[in-house]
Amino acid sequence: AAAMPHPATRSRITRGTVAHPGRGGTAGAATITVTRGDDPPLADATGCSLRQAVQAANTNAAVGACAAGEATLDTVRLPDSVFLSTSGLDDTNVAGDLDVLAGGPLAIVGADDGPGTIRQLRSDRVLNVVAGSLTLERVVVTGGVATGVAADGFGGGIFVRAGAQLTLTETTVTGNAAVQAGGIANGTRMAGDTGGAVRITASTVSG
């Protein structure tokens, strides 16, 4: 697990074997391709947004026009850019930030020829890893804001909850702000919250 939440350093690299979900298959795994860059309600069936894709992975069921996820591994493939614009506070992925739940391991992967950008347009963080595991590969996470009290003020870019897992590979977290740890917060270190497991390889975290 990472240390006490703090404004993240510009670059931190760890050695070791890192899975590359975007560069190979896993038996029983699902691939969900994002086909629209906006942020419609989950019930909208005119395309597959990133929020809908994450919800399909969370629930292992089809959401909107997104294919159903699987319990083994879900790989969500990003276009060049998507934005989040649905206001609301919840930990169910309906609105606000993207909430990753325990539907099975989730990988969000940018294109082979360049990163996919996830941009938050509202006053909320970008990603909230509530449970399970999230891998970001060739992704830019930006625009997140966490200005609330207690846990709501941690991790403008990404917040990792107790027991959850986050892996970054060839990913940039930048242009985010928070009361504590603008880029990534691994737990709050309050009331026994020791966070989860964070692994960062060939990536930059600057805010």
Side-chain angles (χ1 to χ4, degrees):
M4 187 83 168
H6 57 82
T9 54
R10 287 189 56 82
S11 181
R12 183 170 56 146
I13 297 175
T14 60
R15 293 186 175 89
T17 302
V18 177
H20 293 281
R23 300 174 184 171
T26 299
T31 297
I32 306 170
T33 301
V34 175
T35 60
R36 58 189 295 176
D38 60 344
D39 190 17
L42 290 176
D44 189 310
T46 57
C48 180
S49 71
L50 178 57
R51 185 180 303 279
Q52 292 169 318
V54 170
Q55 192 71 349
N58 286 340
T59 60
N60 295 323
V63 176
C66 298
E70 297 283 349
T72 49
L73 171 67
D74 297 319
T75 299
V76 172
R77 295 192 174 276
L78 287 177
D80 290 342
S81 180
V82 300
F83 62 82
L84 307 178
S85 61
T86 304
S87 298
L89 296 174
D90 66 82
D91 285 338
T92 63
N93 195 50
V94 172
D97 54 14
L98 297 176
D99 297 302
V100 177
L101 307 175
L106 171 62
I108 300 176
V109 180
D112 289 338
D113 58 354
T117 297
I118 307 173
R119 184 180 301 276
Q120 176 63 269
L121 299 183
R122 301 296 185 186
S123 294
D124 206 338
R125 65 171 62 92
V126 181
L127 286 155
N128 181 21
V129 190
V130 179
S133 69
L134 172 66
T135 295
L136 299 178
E137 183 173 333
R138 300 189 302 280
V139 174
V140 177
V141 176
T142 191
V145 178
T147 58
V149 298
D152 289 335
F154 283 77
I158 307 171
F159 185 36
V160 183
R161 302 282 181 133
Q165 299 177 37
L166 172 68
T167 299
L168 304 185
T169 302
E170 298 175 27
T171 286
T172 300
V173 181
T174 187
N176 305 283
V179 177
Q180 296 284 341
I184 300 173
N186 185 16
T188 65
R189 309 294 158 168
M190 298 186 300
D193 179 3
T194 57
V198 177
R199 190 174 195 180
I200 301 174
T201 301
S203 297
T204 298
V205 179
S206 60

